[in-house]
Amino acid sequence: MKNLNLLCLFFMGFLLLSCSGDDTPSTTSSVSDQLVNGGPWKFDHYEVLEVLDENKTAGEIEEELNEKYETWVLEFSEDWTFVYYSHSSPSDPRWWEISDDGQLVTQGILGTSDIEVSSSELRVTLRGYGGKDIEDYEPDSIYFFPCIGTAVYKN
């Protein structure tokens, strides 16, 4: 009986020592921490990856979007909201999250986007017309882009 108690005690000790805490941050928490702590994120430039509007060149689209968004700023908060602004007061807070596959999912303006974030740069790849058909493209709308491309923000 004494040997059985020692064996059980050894086994329980082994289990306690072999369990490690999850000290390594997940990709999601690392990305969200960088979004929150690295900002505010100021628009730097736009890079066209694929043109969707056959009436424009990549250079024309980049020039148009760089001019349209040159003063934009994004700020992400720990409460999973973000605001954007340009020359004015911030927008109403909108929700955001990092999906299981590492994409930035936002209410409104950015939709679901691939992102890369470092301590000094945020790269958001936008997928064109926000799910709309090209016939519904509104050139002056902030929600539609005549291309697939990456918006680059710096802090």
Side-chain angles (χ1 to χ4, degrees):
M1 185 71 169
K2 191 174 189 181
N3 287 340
L4 184 59
N5 285 342
L6 281 174
L7 183 61
C8 287
L9 184 61
F10 174 77
F11 184 70
M12 288 174 48
F14 175 78
L15 286 177
L16 286 174
L17 292 175
S18 65
C19 293
S20 64
D22 191 8
D23 295 333
T24 28
S26 70
T27 303
T28 300
S29 68
S30 296
V31 169
S32 61
D33 288 346
Q34 287 180 307
L35 284 173
V36 170
N37 298 325
W41 298 99
K42 298 172 185 97
F43 180 82
D44 187 66
H45 67 279
Y46 195 85
E47 300 169 357
V48 171
L49 303 175
E50 180 183 341
V51 175
L52 299 176
D53 184 343
E54 60 192 38
N55 298 316
K56 295 185 178 185
T57 67
E60 290 171 329
I61 294 169
E62 285 179 352
E63 184 178 330
E64 176 185 323
L65 293 176
N66 284 332
E67 184 177 314
K68 186 185 281 189
Y69 298 106
E70 69 182 338
T71 60
W72 271 57
V73 177
L74 299 174
E75 284 191 59
F76 295 87
S77 299
E78 289 178 346
D79 66 357
W80 299 98
T81 61
F82 79 102
V83 294
Y84 60 92
Y85 52 93
S86 170
H87 296 307
S88 62
S89 58
S91 66
D92 289 333
R94 297 165 184 264
W95 61 263
W96 67 277
E97 66 182 8
I98 303 298
S99 67
D100 291 339
D101 58 355
Q103 290 187 305
L104 173 65
V105 181
T106 66
Q107 176 187 10
I109 188 81
L110 301 174
T112 299
S113 309
D114 294 333
I115 64 165
E116 296 173 38
V117 63
S118 69
S119 60
S120 62
E121 186 175 82
L122 168 62
R123 299 176 69 81
V124 181
T125 299
L126 303 165
R127 304 244 178 251
Y129 298 100
K132 305 284 185 185
D133 292 326
I134 194 165
E135 294 80 27
D136 297 327
Y137 174 60
E138 302 168 27
D140 294 330
S141 172
I142 60 173
Y143 296 102
F144 297 99
F145 300 88
C147 63
I148 297 173
T150 300
V152 180
Y153 294 83
K154 306 261 182 180
N155 57 5

